[in-house]
Amino acid sequence: MVQLYNLHPFGSQRVVPCKQEPAHFCCGRDVLFVASAAAGCRVEVFAVRDQGRCEPLGSFATLGPVLRMAHSQAGDYLVTIEEKSKATFLRAYMNWRCMSAGSSRVCVRMVGHKMEESYSETLKEQMSIVEMPLSDPPLCISCCPVNGDLLVGCKNKLVMFCLKHLVINQNLTVLDFERSLILHVDNLIPAEVAFCARHIAITTELDVLILKLELVQQSADRTEQCAHRVSTLEKPMGGGAKDEGPSTHTLPLELDEFIVCQKPVELLGEESKLCEIPITLESTELPTEDTKCFQVRYLLFRRFTPDQSPFGFCEETKLHSVQLLPVYQTGSSVTACEETENKRELLSLFCFFSLPHVGYLYSVGKLVELISTYQYSEKSEQAVLTPQFLHVVTSENLQCFTVRCSAAAARDEDPYIDTTVKACPPVALDVCTLRMQLFIGPRAICHFKNHIILLTKADTEDITERRKPARRMLSRKADSTKSRTNSESEPGWNLYIINTVSTIQLYREMVDYSRTYENIKTESCIHLLSEAHLLVRAAIMDPSFHKSDEKEELLRAFRESCAFLGDCYSRCDTKDYHLALPYYRMSGLSMTEVLKRLVSEVDEIQRYERGFIFYLTHSLNEDLNEELSKESANKVLQIFYLADPLQLPHILCSPCMRNVCPLTAVKYLQKVEKIMPSVVLTLTKAFMALKMGDLTTYEHEMDSYKETILACGFIGQPKLLRQREEGIVIPTEFAVHLKEMQPGLLVAATVALHENSKMELEEADTFFKMLCSNGDNTIPQLLVDFWEALLVVCSQEEIIQELLLRVTSQYVWRISKKQIPETKPLKTTEDLINSCNYFGLICPWVTSIMSVGSPSDKDYCEDISKLQSLLCSQSINIASVLPVLEPLREAGNVGLTIHVLCSTRLGKYEEAIDQLLKRCPDAAVLYAQHELKDDTRALWWNKLFPELCKRTRLNGNDCPVLISSLKETLSVVAMELELRDFLSLLPEDGTAAFFLPHLLHCSQRKLLT
């Protein structure tokens, strides 16, 4: 559906002072080319100044009447199809600007002709005409706006010429063409072609075909083959497109009185291969290392029939105005006068074509899809597409439609569009007609920058009517540019330059127009504001935006349009109410400013729509650096109580609501509690009571549930404990109070938050450090309590190993620095052993060593025992913690136990035995009894017994501990070895009385066995 508005996109108009009747015209950069009608054989050139003022630059002769003409932005050349003696010629006019400086010299050369250096000086000061001979007459032409390449349509083929920059010498570079590729298309006579970034659109009377030339990767040794080969695409099998009759290209001749019409067909993407139009590529450029090989990819095929028109059967139904419109990456362009303009990065590509009564706009970039359909009120003559508008010439009007190019391109450019961060009006939004401007006999149109060039030619009866006084439809400035006499105007033609109004001016008019719908809250208000938004967005995406004088004003208009759309989606009851949030975000408005726009200052009950509540809910639940005033916060409280009371506990925990009146909040919460009680609501009431200093109410609320339930309640609203300011975690007053009064509940709640993915490990570290006012280098005991509690419940191996490393580091640091925890640990070693698999029972030999330790170690016994418990378990990776344990290597008995435990876990039992015998021999046997089992049992007689014998021999009777240990070892060895093996172990110089009881015991065991 096309909506109609009576806006004013057209400004003033001026008459182009042509000397002869125009036949064709086109625009390029800052000039207008006008080819005169049949007898003239000239092209007039006009400079277009501000406000559409035209100044003649000069003219040049053509070979004959111009049938088609086009200007290339890249290369700044004019290409024409001219007719002479019933033959057509393709010519390109280079360096034409020199003739405006008074030079009349012209050089005519063939395409590809080698230019000698001797001509360098003359080439600078003369216009060059490049003749491009073709085997078949040229029918249509198109220049690529990206790189200046030329595409020529002939019967059954398309010829592509590449624009070349030839360096004659360091002071002179000239332009030339090279015929590089021929596309052979069977049984196709192109009526129009469009060419852009290797995309080709071809139309016949009723068919549209869009192709893309894709580069094929070729190895170096195949370059020459690629340059000369002729590759034919595979032909479709099995009857072509579905729902399609016989191909128009193979129809037998019928009797003249019959007209055969095929069914309409639309094939998109890969399906378009079924169009039964085979294409053969023929490379014609000279083979070099840089030779490019192409293959064709079909993008779209569409076939129309004459009876498609809603106005009935018409033999004159023909396609016209095919156009490819590129949209570039924002900020990737350069100025129009630079040769490097072809380095702009293409973002999106659109194709437009039209029937007499309906036009079609497709996106043919990343995705091929129909964007918009345009229904005309009258038969159209020609249309021209711009990033902001579609201008259509009908039999009596110049019509201006909106387009959706900027909406589609914005989605290609920004992945955050259509999220809660950013929004853009949908591509499928109905288009609208902004203006239907009456003209007498409009015939042709073209567009550049903010100018529309319109050719009108009235019939004889129209001229008579025109002489009658009539009200002007447009302001027509009287200036010296209209120099034709009345007699010259008699034929009834005029060439106008119509200035389109500035984007800002039209935007303001659209906003003012939308206010007529503001009070009735209809979709029309959203539609018109969406049009205004897309208008500004298209201007911002224009390559020239960054150098525009209106840059700042356009950015302000963009933000303002976002705010207006946010207002609409907040006020209107629409299915797209959620768009209020991203539009307000893009507007840059603060929450306070939004509240002022939407909430009445009068203390009255308002109805608040879903969009407004959605915006407030998301904004309050995010960590915004904005504090609402007391009045605004209380108003928000009232809004949610009326619109969504169940959200009250959550919005009260927002940092934005820090200034809310806690007494008022408790009253509202009590009302909600009667409807839907919850743990979160109870905790919120306790929080508000704490803010008021009412500890009695606080304790009453906290006693309503068990501590485990309260800990889980914080999962529902983590902001009761922590908030963020500029990305930094800040503990709340509630957390500070719990730290002092119920640290166990605080730690349990934090563990619950971590296990439910509401708080990361690093975030918890920051939280506890800030809560306990510790510096970055000091670990508070409450954080260690959190790590220990998390080890009890955590199931993620990676996090477990990180936690084990952290607690180990902390235990070692406090033991080595003789630091006492600032608060009493919440869990003892026994608690951890009983509740956590990562803390093991402490080995008896460790306890034995510690029993004879230094009295000073008792001050840190809890950290020591926890560290020893960790090392006694099989959970921690000993190799990874060895560097951490290094400070305890010389720490007396503590260091000995740590050293021996690590050696044992690493399988270095002999090293452990040596350490024990050296520093604590009375624990050696106890160690062996606990550790030397199964595969390591042989160490009793292979290591421990020989070492004890050796050390006893050296110390004699002065070391009773060694003698006692030797006796215990002999008892174990005698029970394990055969008599012969046992005898071989005994030292030759040993005292028989000492060893004899053990020898007898071994032999008696053998006899009993």
Side-chain angles (χ1 to χ4, degrees):
M1 182 181 71
V2 179
Q3 302 198 36
L4 175 62
Y5 300 107
N6 189 25
L7 299 173
H8 300 84
F10 308 127
S12 61
Q13 70 182 44
R14 295 173 184 269
V15 175
V16 180
C18 301
K19 296 179 179 179
Q20 294 178 320
E21 180 180 348
H24 298 278
F25 54 92
C26 67
C27 303
R29 295 188 179 175
D30 56 347
V31 296
L32 170 65
F33 300 92
V34 181
S36 57
C41 298
R42 294 194 72 79
V43 173
E44 296 181 79
V45 186
F46 300 90
V48 182
R49 308 301 186 194
D50 294 338
Q51 301 299 319
R53 292 184 297 106
C54 279
E55 296 179 3
L57 287 181
S59 65
F60 52 86
T62 59
L63 192 62
V66 175
L67 305 181
R68 299 284 180 101
M69 66 188 304
H71 177 268
S72 173
Q73 187 90 344
D76 194 21
Y77 67 86
L78 181 73
V79 62
T80 63
I81 297 178
E82 303 171 17
E83 183 181 33
K84 184 174 183 180
S85 302
K86 298 184 179 180
T88 52
F89 300 87
L90 182 65
R91 308 178 98 202
Y93 294 83
M94 310 285 193
N95 202 25
W96 53 267
R97 290 182 183 267
C98 68
M99 62 94 187
S100 64
S103 174
S104 59
R105 300 181 62 176
V106 176
C107 166
V108 181
R109 54 187 169 91
M110 296 293 289
V111 64
H113 175 70
K114 184 177 180 181
M115 286 162 282
E116 302 295 336
E117 288 193 21
S118 57
Y119 293 103
S120 59
E121 294 303 320
T122 57
L123 284 171
K124 284 183 179 179
E125 301 172 359
Q126 66 186 14
M127 181 172 69
S128 296
I129 302 175
V130 180
E131 299 267 7
M132 288 175 275
L134 297 167
S135 59
D136 294 293
L139 302 176
C140 46
I141 50 177
S142 178
C143 302
C144 175
V146 177
N147 56 29
D149 291 349
L150 172 65
L151 186 71
V152 183
C154 305
K155 182 179 180 181
N156 296 334
K157 66 181 178 183
L158 303 173
V159 183
M160 188 171 81
F161 291 88
C162 288
L163 182 65
K164 302 289 185 181
H165 293 78
L166 303 179
V167 179
I168 304 300
N169 54 50
Q170 67 179 42
N171 297 320
L172 179 63
T173 300
V174 298
L175 298 179
D176 198 9
F177 292 95
E178 180 181 5
R179 184 169 61 179
S180 59
L181 189 66
I182 299 176
L183 292 82
H184 296 276
V185 189
D186 294 342
N187 301 312
L188 184 76
I189 302 177
E192 291 182 324
V193 291
F195 188 36
C196 180
R198 295 205 298 269
H199 290 73
I200 298 172
I202 314 163
T203 61
T204 62
E205 288 190 356
L206 293 172
D207 291 354
V208 181
L209 179 63
I210 303 178
L211 314 166
K212 183 180 181 182
L213 295 174
E214 294 185 327
L215 283 173
V216 179
Q217 296 293 332
Q218 294 289 336
S219 59
D221 57 345
R222 295 181 58 192
T223 301
E224 186 172 348
Q225 300 175 20
C226 176
H228 293 286
R229 73 188 178 96
V230 176
S231 61
T232 306
L233 296 181
E234 60 177 346
K235 296 186 179 181
M237 305 295 289
K242 57 185 179 181
D243 298 330
E244 183 180 358
S247 172
T248 53
H249 311 299
T250 58
L251 280 176
L253 294 175
E254 301 288 345
L255 295 177
D256 291 342
E257 61 267 24
F258 290 99
I259 298 177
V260 178
C261 298
Q262 292 187 308
K263 294 181 180 179
V265 176
E266 182 184 36
L267 301 173
L268 303 177
E270 292 298 318
E271 287 188 352
S272 56
K273 290 181 180 179
L274 304 175
C275 64
E276 291 190 343
I277 303 179
I279 297 176
T280 304
L281 298 183
E282 178 186 355
S283 180
T284 58
E285 63 182 334
L286 294 175
T288 65
E289 292 181 359
D290 299 326
T291 298
K292 297 177 181 178
C293 294
F294 294 101
Q295 66 181 11
V296 170
R297 181 159 71 95
Y298 290 79
L299 299 180
L300 179 143
F301 174 76
R302 185 151 186 181
R303 172 173 295 147
F304 298 93
T305 55
D307 59 346
Q308 273 225 279
S309 171
F311 297 88
F313 185 84
C314 177
E315 292 187 37
E316 295 183 1
T317 301
K318 294 180 182 179
L319 288 162
H320 65 77
S321 304
V322 66
Q323 183 179 346
L324 288 171
L325 178 70
V327 175
Y328 302 99
Q329 286 280 3
T330 303
S332 68
S333 68
V334 294
T335 58
C337 62
E338 292 177 334
E339 288 297 331
T340 55
E341 186 178 16
N342 57 0
K343 294 183 181 179
R344 292 183 297 186
E345 185 178 351
L346 188 68
L347 172 65
S348 305
L349 189 63
F350 303 92
C351 182
F352 175 81
F353 49 85
S354 183
L355 289 170
H357 290 95
V358 60
Y360 301 90
L361 178 60
Y362 282 84
S363 170
V364 293
K366 298 176 182 177
L367 184 67
V368 181
E369 62 178 340
L370 178 63
I371 292 180
S372 305
T373 302
Y374 296 87
Q375 299 286 343
Y376 312 139
S377 58
E378 303 168 334
K379 179 183 175 183
S380 62
E381 301 288 341
Q382 194 179 353
V384 61
L385 178 69
T386 75
Q388 289 182 309
F389 305 109
L390 173 69
H391 300 291
V392 181
V393 171
T394 66
S395 55
E396 294 183 355
N397 287 286
L398 170 59
Q399 299 185 6
C400 178
F401 295 87
T402 56
V403 295
R404 300 290 168 260
C405 298
S406 59
R411 287 168 171 82
D412 289 338
E413 184 176 45
D414 194 340
Y416 289 101
I417 286 184
D418 298 326
T419 66
T420 57
V421 179
K422 294 180 182 179
C424 180
V427 176
L429 183 71
D430 290 340
V431 297
C432 70
T433 307
L434 295 182
R435 185 75 175 176
M436 296 176 66
Q437 185 66 53
L438 181 64
F439 277 91
I440 298 174
R443 291 290 183 269
I445 186 175
C446 75
H447 170 274
F448 80 113
K449 295 183 179 178
N450 62 329
H451 307 294
I452 297 170
I453 317 301
L454 180 66
L455 173 64
T456 64
K457 187 173 182 181
D459 297 329
T460 306
E461 59 272 18
D462 292 332
I463 296 173
T464 305
E465 290 296 323
R466 192 176 59 176
R467 287 173 176 168
K468 297 178 181 179
R471 183 172 60 90
R472 298 279 184 177
M473 300 300 294
L474 288 173
S475 63
R476 187 170 178 178
K477 294 188 177 180
D479 61 6
S480 59
T481 60
K482 186 174 180 182
S483 58
R484 294 207 315 274
T485 62
N486 292 334
S487 61
E488 291 175 325
S489 299
E490 280 302 311
W493 62 266
N494 270 315
L495 189 63
Y496 296 103
I497 288 189
I498 303 169
N499 297 313
T500 54
V501 300
S502 70
T503 299
I504 294 297
Q505 182 178 338
L506 183 57
Y507 164 77
R508 295 293 177 206
E509 185 181 7
M510 296 171 87
V511 170
D512 292 341
Y513 199 116
S514 70
R515 293 197 174 101
T516 59
Y517 302 103
E518 194 172 20
N519 294 329
I520 53 177
K521 298 182 180 179
T522 65
E523 292 287 338
S524 295
C525 182
I526 294 178
H527 184 276
L528 193 51
L529 287 172
S530 296
E531 295 286 9
H533 176 86
L534 288 176
L535 182 74
V536 176
R537 186 183 281 273
I540 290 175
M541 297 184 75
D542 188 270
S544 62
F545 164 71
H546 292 285
K547 297 184 178 181
S548 170
D549 296 335
E550 293 184 330
K551 178 180 177 180
E552 293 302 323
E553 199 170 358
L554 283 170
L555 290 174
R556 281 195 299 270
F558 179 81
R559 291 190 291 268
E560 183 185 69
S561 70
C562 292
F564 287 143
L565 283 168
D567 293 345
C568 282
Y569 286 110
S570 295
R571 291 188 177 120
C572 299
D573 186 14
T574 170
K575 61 182 179 64
D576 295 321
Y577 65 89
H578 61 278
L579 293 176
L581 176 62
Y583 277 121
Y584 275 139
R585 279 179 169 168
M586 292 192 297
S587 72
L589 292 176
S590 66
M591 203 184 319
T592 302
E593 291 169 325
V594 172
L595 286 169
K596 288 180 180 179
R597 294 169 73 96
L598 299 176
V599 179
S600 172
E601 295 183 3
V602 182
D603 191 13
E604 61 180 18
I605 297 178
Q606 287 182 251
R607 173 180 169 82
Y608 301 104
E609 299 294 346
R610 293 179 296 171
F612 181 43
I613 300 301
F614 183 82
Y615 162 75
L616 281 180
T617 302
H618 277 262
S619 299
L620 291 168
N621 285 335
E622 291 173 4
D623 299 306
L624 301 179
N625 299 322
E626 178 185 1
E627 284 189 19
L628 296 176
S629 65
K630 183 177 180 179
E631 294 74 16
S632 297
N634 290 342
K635 191 64 180 180
V636 169
L637 198 63
Q638 181 187 19
I639 290 170
F640 274 93
Y641 176 70
L642 296 173
D644 192 359
L646 297 182
Q647 288 293 323
L648 277 181
H650 303 285
I651 66 108
L652 280 169
C653 298
S654 169
C656 305
M657 299 288 286
R658 192 170 286 124
N659 297 322
V660 72
C661 174
L663 181 61
T664 305
V666 169
K667 290 180 180 178
Y668 279 120
L669 289 171
Q670 288 172 342
K671 293 179 182 178
V672 176
E673 192 173 32
K674 294 177 182 179
I675 306 170
M676 187 67 69
S678 69
V679 183
V680 176
L681 192 146
T682 299
L683 288 170
T684 308
K685 286 174 65 181
F687 188 17
M688 293 297 111
L690 200 60
K691 280 190 170 185
M692 291 188 293
D694 187 352
L695 294 181
T696 303
T697 304
Y698 168 82
E699 291 172 0
H700 173 73
E701 297 297 337
M702 295 299 284
D703 290 339
S704 302
Y705 294 94
K706 294 180 180 179
E707 192 169 282
T708 53
I709 298 176
L710 290 174
C712 294
F714 287 104
I715 299 171
Q717 186 45 261
K719 290 181 182 177
L720 286 165
L721 292 179
R722 60 106 178 96
Q723 295 175 350
R724 285 190 181 88
E725 291 182 7
E726 298 181 357
I728 301 173
V729 176
I730 305 294
T732 63
E733 301 98 312
F734 204 165
V736 173
H737 184 78
L738 289 176
K739 173 209 163 194
E740 300 295 335
M741 306 305 297
Q742 293 176 282
L745 174 59
L746 177 62
V747 169
T750 314
V751 169
L753 291 179
H754 179 274
E755 287 302 284
N756 286 272
S757 303
K758 297 297 180 70
M759 182 182 283
E760 297 296 327
L761 195 59
E762 298 300 328
E763 188 180 350
D765 291 355
T766 306
F767 171 76
F768 281 108
K769 286 179 181 179
M770 295 199 67
L771 183 64
C772 300
S773 301
N774 285 61
D776 291 337
N777 298 323
T778 308
I779 305 298
Q781 176 57 39
L782 212 54
L783 177 55
V784 179
D785 292 330
F786 166 72
W787 291 340
E788 293 173 346
L790 190 55
L791 277 170
V792 176
V793 298
C794 188
S795 59
Q796 301 177 51
E797 186 60 30
E798 185 180 349
I799 294 179
I800 289 169
Q801 291 301 322
E802 174 66 21
L803 289 171
L804 290 172
L805 184 62
R806 290 186 181 196
V807 293
T808 301
S809 301
Q810 185 60 16
Y811 297 152
V812 170
W813 183 83
R814 289 207 293 226
I815 295 168
S816 63
K817 300 293 183 182
K818 302 186 182 301
Q819 290 285 336
I820 301 175
E822 69 274 18
T823 58
K824 182 180 179 181
L826 295 178
K827 289 183 182 293
T828 63
T829 307
E830 185 178 354
D831 295 333
L832 291 171
I833 293 172
N834 293 333
S835 62
C836 182
N837 296 329
Y838 308 109
F839 289 83
L841 287 170
I842 298 176
C843 303
W845 59 267
V846 174
T847 306
S848 174
I849 295 173
M850 295 304 298
S851 64
V852 294
S854 169
S856 62
D857 290 342
K858 295 180 181 179
D859 295 334
Y860 321 103
C861 62
E862 200 65 47
D863 286 333
I864 294 171
S865 60
K866 285 179 181 179
L867 179 60
Q868 291 169 340
S869 176
L870 271 179
L871 296 176
C872 287
S873 71
Q874 299 297 314
S875 56
I876 196 167
N877 185 341
I878 293 295
S880 65
V881 298
L882 280 178
V884 177
L885 297 170
E886 188 64 28
L888 298 181
R889 179 176 287 276
E890 305 299 330
N893 287 350
V894 177
L896 175 62
T897 60
I898 301 303
H899 193 149
V900 174
L901 280 169
C902 291
S903 297
T904 303
R905 288 286 311 280
L906 293 172
K908 299 177 180 180
Y909 295 96
E910 295 185 17
E911 182 181 319
I913 291 171
D914 288 337
Q915 287 291 325
L916 286 172
L917 291 174
K918 179 181 178 182
R919 298 175 60 181
C920 191
D922 52 346
V925 174
L926 198 57
Y927 169 84
Q929 290 172 345
H930 191 267
E931 304 294 346
L932 301 183
K933 300 174 182 178
D934 300 328
D935 295 342
T936 60
R937 199 166 187 81
L939 291 175
W940 276 95
W941 50 88
N942 291 335
K943 177 65 180 177
L944 182 60
F945 179 69
E947 284 292 331
L948 283 171
C949 290
K950 176 182 175 183
R951 293 172 188 271
T952 304
R953 185 183 296 112
L954 292 174
N955 291 280
N957 296 327
D958 295 336
C959 190
V961 173
L962 288 174
I963 296 173
S964 173
S965 298
L966 182 58
K967 288 180 179 180
E968 291 185 47
T969 303
L970 280 169
S971 300
V972 174
V973 173
M975 292 296 294
E976 294 292 332
L977 296 182
E978 296 293 333
L979 182 59
R980 180 180 298 176
D981 296 333
F982 183 65
L983 277 171
S984 66
L985 284 175
L986 299 180
E988 294 179 358
D989 58 346
T991 305
F994 183 82
F995 292 102
L996 187 58
H998 300 285
L999 188 62
L1000 290 172
H1001 180 70
C1002 182
S1003 61
Q1004 290 171 356
R1005 180 180 61 82
K1006 180 65 176 176
L1007 290 173
L1008 289 173
T1009 305

